[in-house]
């Protein structure tokens, strides 16, 4: 069976002031439809760069990305991105932010009423329907990120790309949002790629965890399959053998074999 | 979704059921409204706090002025003489007693019309060119020194050139306003466009917004605070320039009125005209600032 998304021998180098830095080398990964894959690694290892290549915001220097056998060479709504800092437009209300995406993607295909209903449905999915007329400045960080997720989901993407979606949130809000994302994944069965640097988050949410080696010229060091049944509940997992095995494996990879070296 | 809505509904019903049920009839107690004076007092205090200090300062100012120009040999008129000699100008801004004998309100309106045309053109051209220049690093580098030099040329220095070009007073005055007020608008717009966060550009790229959509939905709102800063500086400069330009080109405007009054030694009239100019300039600034607040609501913060 052909993979849904295929990252094929991707490498990327940046040139700046005559010096060339190779950030990624020979990254190959196959992802099936409905899979939840986390990419974990130390900061600066090129996780976000890899996600941006899949999104089409950056172009790979070598290799390429295939989504359903089609090459990815530009950004598009079929690969919706949830940005780390939510990236909501501050002059639009919550509703208008989602509407901007929905009107652009479904403008010619669905009636005004259908689009309106679809926007509200997605806001309800992340429990933000009550704040539809608020502006981003008037809601909390966790709420902004939820709207960002609603905006991405509303595009009906083939694949959802989450770039450290919970990185800027406090621990309690983060746990709450992780549960919500798991619920959405269970209900809609979307394919998701999430960048994270949180080991617990990666184990809790993912089907597979992709561990990146340190840069420069970072690549995939190891791929770990998390064989935990869904739905997963964080309280029950505390003394689950498989959970702790995966956690230990990731920690071992990150802190014993690929210790973070402060770049000079 | 239906699920979560259902959940919400049962929760709210649960709350309603748990609430204690009132068994006794409620006896309404007439709540005595506080006396009128007690309610008005805080409002009056607020108004007083805002108006009393400026009134005191204004009174002191008039007093000092009156004392300084009290002597009959004084070269400048005291406020009492301004009032007695230019009373018609102060009490009725809109009288018409002949082609050149009209109220200051009419003169201000004539000047405002010129400012509206000149500043309007400057706003349209400034925002358009600023948008283009802000898009490109090379255009910015190339044009910026030119803009910075032209920006510092005083309004009146443009007048001879524009008189030579247009051979008529009225378009020359408008051109002087245009060329004075365009630079801050243009430069601020370009900076605003350059400062659009990469995040917003990425959102636009993922959504595949076309150029027009990007311009209307991302670029203009994102640069709006910068654009309005430029417009506010621009309207101030335009008002500075109109008075100076009209002094030289003649006509009906408030600037020419001052020049005319000076030539016929009507100093009290000049004082009244100055007050008009200051007041209108202040109103123009407030007007643009108010428009900025309306348009850029919520844009400044993240």
């Amino acid at each position: 069976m052909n993979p849904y998304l295929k990252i094929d021998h991707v490498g990327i180098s940046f040139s700046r002031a005559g010096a060339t830095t190779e950030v990624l080398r020979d990254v190959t990964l196959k992802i099936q439809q409905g899979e939840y894959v986390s990419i974990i690694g130390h900061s600066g290892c090129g996780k976000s760069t890899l996600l941006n290549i899949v999104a089409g915001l950056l172009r790979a220097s070598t290799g390429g990305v295939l989504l359903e056998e089609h090459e990815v060479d530009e950004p598009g709504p079929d690969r919706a991105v949830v940005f780390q800092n939510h990236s909501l437009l501050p002059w639009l209300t919550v509703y208008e932010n989602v509407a901007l995406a929905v009107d652009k993607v479904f403008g010619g295909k669905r009636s005004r009423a259908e689009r309106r209903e679809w926007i509200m449905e997605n806001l309800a999915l992340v429990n933000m329907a009550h704040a539809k007329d608020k502006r981003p400045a008037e809601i909390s960080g966790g709420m902004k990120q939820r709207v960002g997720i609603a905006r991405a989901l509303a595009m009906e993407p083939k694949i959802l790309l989450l770039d450290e979606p919970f990185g800027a949130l406090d621990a309690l809000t983060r746990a709450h949002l992780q549960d919500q994302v798991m619920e959405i994944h269970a209900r809609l069965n979307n394919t998701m790629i999430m960048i994270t640097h949180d080991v617990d988050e990666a184990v809790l949410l993912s089907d597979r965890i992709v561990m990146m080696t340190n840069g420069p010229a970072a690549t995939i060091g190891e791929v770990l399959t998390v064989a935990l049944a869904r739905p997963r509940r964080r309280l029950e997992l505390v003394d689950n053998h498989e959970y702790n095995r995966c956690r230990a494996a990731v920690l071992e990879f990150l802190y014993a074999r690929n210790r973070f070296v402060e770049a000079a | 979704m239906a699920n979560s809505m259902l959940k919400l509904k049962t929760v709210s019903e649960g709350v309603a059921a748990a609430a204690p049920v009132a068994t006794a009839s409620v006896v309404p107690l007439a709540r005595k409204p506080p006396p009128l004076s007690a309610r008005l007092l805080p409002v009056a205090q607020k108004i007083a706090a805002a108006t009393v200090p400026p009134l005191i300062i204004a009174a002191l100012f008039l007093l000092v002025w009156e004392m300084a120009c009290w002597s009959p040999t004084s070269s400048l008129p005291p406020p009492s003489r301004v009032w007695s000699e230019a009373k018609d100008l102060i009490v009725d801004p809109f009288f018409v007693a002949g082609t050149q004998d009209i109220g200051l309100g009419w003169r201000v309106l004539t000047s405002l019309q010129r400012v509206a045309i000149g500043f309007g053109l400057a706003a349209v051209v400034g925002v358009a060119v600023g948008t283009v220049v802000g898009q490109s690093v090379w255009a910015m580098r190339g044009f910026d020194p030119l803009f910075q030099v032209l920006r510092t040329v005083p309004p009146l220095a443009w007048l001879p050139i524009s008189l030579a070009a247009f051979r008529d007073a009225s378009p020359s005055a408008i051109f002087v306003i245009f060329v004075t007020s365009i630079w801050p608008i243009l430069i601020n717009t370009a900076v605003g466009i350059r400062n659009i966060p990469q995040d917003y550009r990425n959102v636009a790229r993922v959504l595949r917004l076309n150029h027009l959509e990007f311009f209307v939905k991302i670029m203009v709102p994102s640069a709006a605070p910068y654009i309005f800063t430029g417009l506010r500086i621009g309207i101030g400069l335009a008002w500075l320039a109109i008075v100076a330009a009209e002094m030289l080109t003649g006509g009906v405007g408030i600037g020419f009125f001052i020049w005319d009054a000076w030539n016929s030694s009507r100093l009290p009239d000049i004082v009244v005209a100055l007050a008009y100019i200051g007041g209108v300039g202040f109103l123009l600034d407030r007007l643009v600032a108010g428009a900025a607040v309306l348009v850029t609501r919520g844009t400044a913060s993240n």
Side-chain angles (χ1 to χ4, degrees), chain B:
Chain B
M1 293 113 267
N3 244 343
S4 63
M5 298 251 284
L6 205 69
K7 227 186 278 169
L8 260 177
K9 205 170 169 200
T10 48
V11 166
S12 62
E13 274 169 7
V15 170
V21 182
T23 48
S25 62
V26 177
V27 181
L29 285 172
R31 233 178 96 238
K32 236 194 200 156
L36 193 70
S37 59
R39 270 182 298 159
L40 284 180
L41 198 65
V43 181
Q45 271 173 343
K46 238 185 200 168
I47 295 173
T51 53
V52 169
L55 283 178
I56 291 174
I57 297 296
L60 275 178
F61 175 72
L62 289 175
L63 189 70
V64 171
W65 177 13
E66 183 76 43
M67 290 196 312
C69 305
W70 179 249
S71 105
T73 55
S74 160
S75 53
L76 295 176
S80 55
R81 219 176 94 211
V82 171
W83 175 253
S84 61
E85 286 182 24
K87 200 176 164 196
D88 56 336
L89 292 175
I90 298 170
V91 292
D92 186 7
F94 292 105
F95 69 84
V96 181
T99 45
Q100 270 305 318
D101 190 11
I102 55 175
L104 285 182
W106 294 116
R107 294 183 184 273
V108 165
L109 283 179
T110 318
S111 298
L112 277 178
Q113 192 192 358
R114 293 198 181 117
V115 168
I117 299 171
F119 177 73
L121 281 175
V124 170
V125 176
V127 170
V129 176
T131 306
V132 174
V133 170
Q135 304 259 25
S136 139
V137 181
W138 280 100
M140 192 80 168
R141 273 186 210 153
F143 281 109
D144 196 52
L146 181 69
F147 294 157
Q148 298 294 349
V149 169
L150 291 180
R151 183 172 72 87
T152 59
V153 174
L156 281 184
W158 291 102
L159 196 63
I161 291 245
S162 64
L163 277 173
F166 293 102
R167 294 161 192 281
D168 191 12
S170 196
S172 302
I174 289 170
F175 175 77
V176 167
I177 295 164
F178 170 82
V179 86
T180 307
S181 55
I182 190 171
W183 308 115
I185 301 172
L186 202 163
I187 293 168
N188 272 285
T189 303
V191 171
I193 298 290
R194 284 197 54 70
N195 283 357
I196 296 174
Q198 188 59 40
D199 294 332
Y200 301 169
R201 293 182 189 274
N202 282 347
V203 170
R205 287 177 67 196
V206 168
L207 289 174
R208 289 201 184 133
L209 298 183
N210 60 37
H211 285 295
L212 181 68
E213 288 168 328
F214 181 67
F215 178 75
V216 173
K217 293 184 174 164
I218 309 279
M219 217 182 244
V220 170
S222 178
Y226 291 88
I227 296 175
F228 272 100
T229 305
L231 289 176
R232 214 171 144 189
I233 301 171
I235 193 88
L237 289 179
W239 194 236
L240 285 183
I242 181 67
V243 174
E246 281 177 349
M247 277 191 184
L248 297 183
T249 58
V252 190
I254 187 90
F256 178 68
F257 176 81
I258 292 181
W259 193 242
D260 195 37
W262 162 246
N263 284 331
S264 38
S265 302
R266 284 180 281 120
L267 283 181
D269 288 9
I270 298 182
V271 173
V272 178
L274 288 185
Y276 267 89
I277 293 171
V280 172
F282 175 75
L283 285 180
L284 284 178
D285 183 66
R286 291 284 95 198
L287 199 71
V288 178
V293 170
L294 271 183
V295 173
T296 65
R297 193 160 44 106
T299 311
S301 52
N302 236 338

Side-chain angles (χ1 to χ4, degrees), chain A residues 126-160:
Chain A
V126 294
N127 294 327
M128 284 299 294
H130 62 281
K132 74 182 179 69
D133 294 321
K134 291 233 163 72
R135 280 167 206 277
E138 299 165 339
I139 57 178
S140 70
M143 289 165 119
K144 283 183 222 177
Q145 202 53 275
R146 271 148 66 184
V147 178
I149 293 171
R151 177 174 65 182
L153 286 172
M155 301 177 206
E156 286 194 333
K158 288 178 180 156
I159 188 157
L160 194 63

